[in-house]
Amino acid sequence: GAGVSQTPSNKVTEKGKYVELRCDPISGHTALYWYRQSLGQGPEFLIYFQGTGAADDSGLPNDRFFAVRPEGSVSTLKIQRTERGDSAVYLCASSLTADSPLHFGNGTRLTVT
Amino acid sequence: SQQGEEDPQALSIQEGENATMNCSYKTSINNLQWYRQNSGRGLVHLILIRSNEREKHSGRLRVTLDTSKKSSSLLITASRAADTASYFCATGPETSGSRLTFGEGTQLTVNP
């Protein structure tokens, strides 16, 4: 079946602009995660959804970052007033249950100029 | 902050040799997982070992876990050029749900 799909694969935006990154998880997966990965680093946790609710948003760096998952499937990560330091690969992952291994998408490479 | 720390940061070996990567962590865990990432791609789950397990095998992969030393190792036997990738350990915390914390990874290069 289809894996985790992330769109767009690449996004270039100007400093100060608003961006939305989309994640389509594997059908039936109740848990959904957003991570951010900088070059040469491991993924850094941002937020975790169980169903429609954010079970853990402690990794969001500040209030410019927000994520939603209104119907318990597709999720959108929203970044307001982007800064050059937000440039990274944003990875989405889903899992069947909270204790199952994660299935990752290929990420969205965000570049803020 | 990083929970898992992989060692070495980079490893270069010849095809057919074994590759060993180590991971250390700081807090109590529920499980430890290893993932692989090819350049420009997402991470792929390799193996999960629970805190009450000491060793696990999957094909050419062998994972050990020593909770007293807060460390794990991943052994890839009879390596192939296609094993070239970055390998990350990730720890699942004991008490706070399923948030995984990743280390910074080991870059493995297998030369043909």
Side-chain angles (χ1 to χ4, degrees):
Chain A
V4 177
S5 175
Q6 291 188 247
T7 54
S9 55
N10 280 283
K11 177 71 177 177
V12 180
T13 191
E14 292 180 348
K15 180 176 179 294
K17 299 289 189 185
Y18 167 83
V19 296
E20 289 190 352
L21 311 179
R22 176 187 167 107
C23 173
D24 253 297
I26 293 173
S27 178
H29 280 196
T30 60
L32 184 145
Y33 311 78
W34 284 99
Y35 282 81
R36 176 168 73 174
Q37 186 176 29
S38 300
L39 192 62
Q41 304 287 312
E44 174 193 16
F45 172 80
L46 296 176
I47 187 169
Y48 152 58
F49 288 90
Q50 184 61 34
T52 60
D56 183 352
D57 65 357
S58 61
L60 295 177
N62 51 60
D63 61 6
R64 295 187 298 106
F65 288 75
F66 188 70
V68 295
R69 194 186 185 199
E71 297 176 358
S73 178
V74 170
S75 176
T76 305
L77 178 65
K78 308 180 182 196
I79 310 174
Q80 298 178 320
R81 305 183 304 280
T82 51
E83 300 177 356
R84 293 196 181 89
D86 299 335
S87 296
V89 176
Y90 288 80
L91 295 167
C92 177
S94 68
S95 63
L96 188 60
T97 67
D99 292 330
S100 306
L102 272 57
H103 297 258
F104 281 84
N106 286 331
T108 293
R109 180 175 299 278
L110 176 66
T111 304
V112 182
T113 62
Chain B
S1 62
Q2 293 289 348
Q3 162 75 319
E5 294 183 5
E6 286 90 342
D7 161 50
Q9 288 188 323
L11 179 61
S12 182
I13 59 174
Q14 296 299 123
E15 247 184 344
E17 293 181 339
N18 295 341
T20 299
M21 289 161 270
N22 303 297
C23 169
S24 60
Y25 57 93
K26 297 183 175 64
T27 61
S28 296
I29 61 171
N30 173 274
N31 65 76
L32 187 143
Q33 304 179 34
W34 285 90
Y35 287 79
R36 162 201 170 120
Q37 185 178 36
N38 288 84
S39 181
R41 309 283 290 182
L43 285 78
V44 175
H45 178 262
L46 295 176
I47 197 164
L48 180 154
I49 186 165
R50 299 202 181 276
S51 59
N52 60 353
E53 298 176 308
R54 292 295 166 259
E55 188 170 312
K56 206 159 182 182
H57 297 253
S58 176
R60 293 185 295 113
L61 305 180
R62 172 179 169 247
V63 168
T64 61
L65 178 64
D66 187 334
T67 53
S68 66
K69 294 182 180 176
K70 291 187 167 58
S71 68
S72 172
S73 67
L74 171 67
L75 168 68
I76 304 175
T77 59
S79 63
R80 305 166 182 166
D83 294 330
T84 295
S86 292
Y87 291 81
F88 295 90
C89 70
T91 51
E94 197 172 47
T95 56
S96 60
S98 66
R99 165 185 180 156
L100 285 184
T101 303
F102 286 82
E104 297 194 356
T106 293
Q107 172 61 49
L108 173 66
T109 302
V110 181
N111 301 299

